[in-house]
Amino acid sequence: MKKVVIVGFGNIGKGVLKAIVDFPDMEVVGIITRSRKRVIEEDQHEGLSVYEIRDLEWQKLDADVAILCGGSKDDLPVQGPYFQQFFNTVCSFDTHGHIDNWFNEKGQPQLGYFQMMNAMACTYGHVATVCQGWDPGIFSVMRAVFKSCLGNCDSFGFYGLGESGGLSMGHSDALRNVVGVKDARQYTHAIHETIDKLRKGEITSATKDQMHWRECIVVLEEGADEESVRETIVNMPEYFKGIKTTVRFISQEELDEKHQGMFHDGLVLGAAPFGAMEYRNSWDSNPLATAYILLAYARATIRLSSNGGEGAFTPLDIAPRFLLEDEGPNLNLV
Ligand SMILES: NC(=O)c1ccc[n+]([C@@H]2O[C@H](COP(=O)([O-])OP(=O)(O)OC[C@H]3O[C@@H](n4cnc5c(N)ncnc54)[C@H](OP(=O)(O)O)[C@@H]3O)[C@@H](O)[C@H]2O)c1
């Protein structure tokens, strides 16, 4: 039985604990959190040992892989390289523009998340499978397949296909980190006109703002200024800047009553002059679905490590057979 430790107990951390029942070759051996008190009070830890990060008690845990479930904006860039010293890791880092090396607003070069994780994993002889989930993750694999099989055509990812859009957890997390915001949800809406034009071959490219618009539902902290919060949100680089974004302020009661669902869906579309390929997924719960994918890639992480692998791997680097419980030839799946 392979041993999994959960780092960060939010939606995805809780999802991992629910999903593990469908992974009979793996078990959760502990939860590491910044707030042991909160996790114990929430009482969803199913009697598992809960460790406060700063107590370092968790260092005695014997685990094959740590699933890093912190937020992409502020948690993973710090927690990822730190925990990489101690464990093989898998995470769902989804700030696309910061995966590879990037430049900040002042023009300063910044190490990409991949480069940081790769350096730490190589230094400590571990494996880091980064950016797993559905996007990045399964969508990345589909983009690569479509691009190569359709003769180098562009492929496009669309999110929030239904009328209410889809809940983006990364963007909701980013909203909750804005000073003055108490709670928030962000729904992404696909622009269907653009999907139809791409499918019909009427256009061969689309800009970010032709593909989606973003709806932010925000609960303010007491005394916070609506206008300055709105300005901060719509100008947030990587998340909202340059894309149509609406911001609506509501009460905590309304948010609790009407915005608890975590559905999401999406489509990858590759269109060439001679035909098109599509992949679609639809989730009742985005975090639970992401947790399932993370567990499949946790299995692959353990396999890579036991085969002598070291360093960081993206979704494109992982052979599908490593995801299966039985890694054999699996010719029945071919
Ligand atoms: N690649 C993909 O397809 C994909 C899909 C979905 C999500 N994601 C990524 O996954 C990340 C995590 O999503 P999530 O929904 O699990 O985020 P979340 O619920 O906000 O949890 C993030 C962290 O916040 C802390 N936390 C949880 N509840 C809290 C509370 N009540 N008060 C204070 N802190 C709390 C937890 O850390 P501690 O326990 O240490 O406090 C947790 O690890 C997102 O940022 C997103 O980028 C990726």
Side-chain angles (χ1 to χ4, degrees), residues 184-232:
R185 299 287 183 276
Q186 196 263 231
Y187 299 105
T188 304
H189 295 263
I191 300 178
H192 287 272
E193 218 187 344
T194 307
I195 299 178
D196 289 342
K197 283 184 180 167
L198 285 165
R199 270 188 188 135
K200 289 180 190 153
E202 289 173 14
I203 53 171
T204 53
S205 64
T207 54
K208 258 164 89 171
D209 58 323
Q210 289 170 327
M211 293 171 67
H212 297 101
W213 63 277
R214 297 191 178 275
E215 179 188 12
C216 306
I217 310 283
V218 173
V219 179
L220 287 175
E221 297 275 14
E222 214 174 300
D225 177 52
E226 272 193 14
E227 265 329 290
S228 77
V229 168
R230 190 191 306 273
E231 279 300 300
T232 310

Side-chain angles (χ1 to χ4, degrees), residues 8-9 11-12 33-34 38 71-72 92 94 134-136 169 290:
F9 205 58
N11 299 311
I12 292 186
T33 171
R34 282 161 294 185
R38 188 195 78 239
S72 291
S92 64
D94 70 355
W134 58 288
D135 193 4
M169 294 158 67
T290 305

Side-chain angles (χ1 to χ4, degrees), residues 7-13 32-35 38-39 42 53 69-73 75 79 92-94 132-136 169-170 173 176 286-287 290:
V7 179
F9 205 58
N11 299 311
I12 292 186
I32 306 175
T33 171
R34 282 161 294 185
S35 176
R38 188 195 78 239
V39 173
E42 281 176 355
I53 291 184
C69 302
S72 291
K73 188 165 185 293
D75 297 340
Q79 293 181 356
S92 64
F93 183 79
D94 70 355
Q132 312 298 340
W134 58 288
D135 193 4
M169 294 158 67
D173 186 40
R176 286 190 287 271
N286 181 359
T290 305

